[in-house]
Amino acid sequence: KNEVEQSPQNLTAQEGEFITINCSYSVGISALHWLQQHPGGGIVSLFMLSSGKKKHGRLIATINIQEKHSSLHITASHPRDSAVYICAATPNTGNQFYFGTGTSLTVIP
Amino acid sequence: KAGVTQTPRYLIKTRGQQVTLSCSPISGHRSVSWYQQTPGQGLQFLFEYFSETQRNKGNFPGRFSGRQFSNSRSEMNVSTLELGDSALYLCASSWAGGEAKNIQYFGAGTRLSVL
C-alpha cells in the first residue's frame, strides 16, 4: 500500500478549464508538497503545506489535516500548464519524500 | 545562487558494471536526498545525507550506496548494475536537514541506461 495516493492519473482539459488534482496520505506528516515535472525530468516545487491554503498566481493548494487530504487547483488552465503534477509527503520521522504516482495533465488549446 | 548540479546528465553502462553519480547542492544546503524515477515505480526515495551522515534510507538493496563530503557534495554508487537500474536519478537539497518542513530543490537528474 502506498503512503500517498493521487488521482486522477491522467487528465486532459480544454484551455480555460478549472482543474483539480487530489492527494490522500496515510502517514503522519510534517508537510505536504506539490511538485511539477516537465518533459525532460526537471522537478520544481510548487507548494509546501502544513495547514490551510496557499495561492500562487493561478495555482491554489489546500490541505485538510484531519481528513489527510490535499488538493491542487489550477484556474483558467493554459497549455503551458501541461506537465506531471506530483504530490509528496514529508513524514514526521524524516526529511525524505513519499511520492504519489503523479497526474499527467494535458491542456489543449 | 547556482542550483543543484548533477553530473553526468546521461550515462550508459552494461550489466555488472558499477556507476557513481555526483550531486552538488545549493551553497549552504546541508541535506541531500537521492531519488530514483522509473516509468513502472515512479519516484522512490533512496537515501538522505545530512552533515556527512546517512540519516534516512529507503527500501533499496545494498548495491545502492552513497556518501556525503564535508562540502555537502554527495555521490551515490550503484554496484553490479542490473537492467532494472535504468532510471532517472534525482538529487535534491534543502538548507537545514533537521527541519522536515524545508522545501527541497531538485537537480535536473542523471539518466542512467543499463544495457
Side-chain angles (χ1 to χ4, degrees), chain A:
Chain A
K1 183 184 182 300
N2 292 332
E3 292 86 357
V4 178
E5 300 282 350
Q6 191 175 337
S7 64
Q9 279 196 314
N10 297 284
L11 188 53
T12 301
Q14 289 290 132
E15 183 173 356
E17 282 187 11
F18 181 84
I19 289 163
T20 297
I21 301 171
N22 294 301
C23 174
S24 59
Y25 53 92
S26 58
V27 294
I29 68 167
S30 59
L32 191 289
H33 306 254
W34 283 100
L35 312 172
Q36 181 192 57
Q37 186 173 30
H38 280 284
I43 292 179
V44 174
S45 178
L46 297 174
F47 294 103
M48 182 178 67
L49 293 160
S50 54
S51 64
K53 175 180 173 178
K54 286 190 176 179
K55 185 176 189 291
H56 184 248
R58 295 179 295 104
L59 274 60
I60 303 166
T62 63
I63 188 168
N64 184 316
I65 299 295
Q66 286 73 30
E67 295 186 4
K68 294 188 175 179
H69 181 269
S70 176
S71 293
L72 176 68
H73 306 284
I74 304 176
T75 62
S77 59
H78 190 277
R80 65 174 174 265
D81 297 327
S82 298
V84 175
Y85 293 84
I86 304 165
C87 168
T90 305
N92 288 326
T93 53
N95 204 37
Q96 72 274 25
F97 281 175
Y98 291 119
F99 295 97
T101 52
T103 295
S104 178
L105 171 65
T106 303
V107 181
I108 300 169

Side-chain angles (χ1 to χ4, degrees), chain B residues 29-40:
Chain B
H29 286 195
R30 295 167 64 191
S31 169
V32 174
S33 297
W34 288 90
Y35 302 92
Q36 181 197 65
Q37 186 176 35
T38 59

